[in-house]
Amino acid sequence: GQSLEQPSEVTAVEGAIVQINCTYQTSGFYGLSWYQQHDGGAPTFLSYNGLDGLEETGRFSSFLSRSDSYGYLLLQELQMKDSASYFCAVRDRRADSWGKLQFGAGTQVVVTP
Amino acid sequence: EAGVAQSPRYKIIEKRQSVAFWCNPISGHATLYWYQQILGQGPKLLIQFQNNGVVDDSQLPKDRFSAERLKGVDSTLKIQPAKLEDSAVYLCASSLDIQVSTEAFFGQGTRLTVV
């Protein structure tokens, strides 16, 4: 089966940098995604890593190390609107379940003034 | 471009009653997912379709939950009979195609309360 581990909560002040780590276990790995979800809202896609390395999208960056089964999401220049839950999600690749998309439990990011 | 549409937005039922949720994915999206999200937890995949075929339903409680995607477009998820622990938000998502798309688009969800 699959399992994903990420911290339950992170608190930081406006303007700071936050790193959310995600470790995963899966029998077949295709890529790691990150989603943001505000209270009462739908998850929205932030980034995807299929290969090792860093992907940068504005204030958000995501990193993947396939050999370590590890990735992280980096939030820079934190703003109040970044207060939300952040989920890592693994897309697996196996003969019987190509592309199944499984989510972690989520990290609640609280941004304070 | 219209997003993923779900209905109803809210539903309150008594335990042992049945309920159905409807999802209309983004036009042209071959992959459709149903997730259950209990308050404070991550979305749990219930079933994943590719066109009108099931890719994975290993976490779907098949004694009470059923889902179908007729003609590879709209989908319905049914619970019969409902239990108190089924209280959750049911999210539908779609992707262009499993093999080429890395992004899933989510609907606003149906919040189910079982009393």
Side-chain angles (χ1 to χ4, degrees):
Chain A
Q2 295 176 321
S3 69
L4 296 100
E5 298 278 342
Q6 54 181 125
S8 59
E9 184 171 323
V10 173
T11 300
V13 298
E14 273 188 293
I17 299 173
V18 159
Q19 179 173 316
I20 303 170
N21 299 321
C22 175
T23 57
Y24 60 86
Q25 286 187 321
T26 179
S27 54
F29 178 80
Y30 190 67
L32 185 70
S33 303
W34 290 92
Y35 286 77
Q36 179 192 59
Q37 186 178 34
H38 286 100
D39 281 349
T44 56
F45 175 82
L46 291 177
S47 68
Y48 174 81
N49 294 76
L51 301 174
D52 286 357
L54 192 68
E55 294 284 339
E56 296 180 85
T57 310
R59 295 186 297 112
F60 295 177
S61 303
S62 59
F63 171 83
L64 175 66
S65 168
R66 295 170 71 109
S67 60
D68 295 323
S69 297
Y70 162 78
Y72 68 70
L73 178 69
L74 195 68
L75 315 179
Q76 301 180 78
E77 301 172 20
L78 273 179
Q79 301 176 8
M80 295 299 291
K81 67 179 181 180
D82 297 329
S83 290
S85 292
Y86 294 82
F87 299 92
C88 57
V90 167
R91 182 175 294 278
D92 72 2
R93 186 174 191 171
R94 290 179 289 171
D96 62 345
S97 63
W98 216 108
K100 186 167 70 172
L101 186 61
Q102 299 272 41
F103 283 74
T107 299
Q108 179 75 39
V109 172
V110 177
V111 181
T112 60
Chain B
E1 176 179 81
V4 176
Q6 289 189 246
S7 68
R9 285 297 313 276
Y10 305 92
K11 189 76 177 177
I12 301 175
I13 62 171
E14 295 183 349
K15 59 183 178 182
R16 291 188 290 274
Q17 285 187 323
S18 62
V19 64
F21 313 126
W22 174 81
C23 173
N24 180 233
I26 294 173
S27 178
H29 279 197
T31 310
L32 186 146
Y33 317 78
W34 281 104
Y35 289 88
Q36 179 194 59
Q37 186 173 28
I38 293 172
L39 188 64
Q41 299 182 17
K44 171 188 171 184
L45 181 66
L46 294 176
I47 188 167
Q48 182 171 324
F49 293 95
Q50 176 73 356
N51 295 309
N52 61 351
V54 175
V55 170
D56 189 277
D57 62 358
S58 57
Q59 298 187 101
L60 186 73
K62 298 180 187 60
D63 58 333
R64 299 185 301 107
F65 286 63
S66 64
E68 60 181 9
R69 190 184 184 196
L70 299 176
K71 301 181 182 178
V73 182
D74 293 3
S75 178
T76 55
L77 176 69
K78 297 178 182 178
I79 307 175
Q80 182 180 8
K83 293 184 176 181
L84 295 177
E85 59 259 37
D86 298 332
S87 293
V89 175
Y90 290 84
L91 294 163
C92 178
S94 70
S95 296
L96 188 59
D97 187 276
I98 289 175
Q99 297 188 44
V100 301
S101 175
T102 60
E103 180 176 357
F105 296 84
F106 282 81
Q108 288 300 307
T110 296
R111 183 176 298 276
L112 173 68
T113 302
V114 182
V115 298

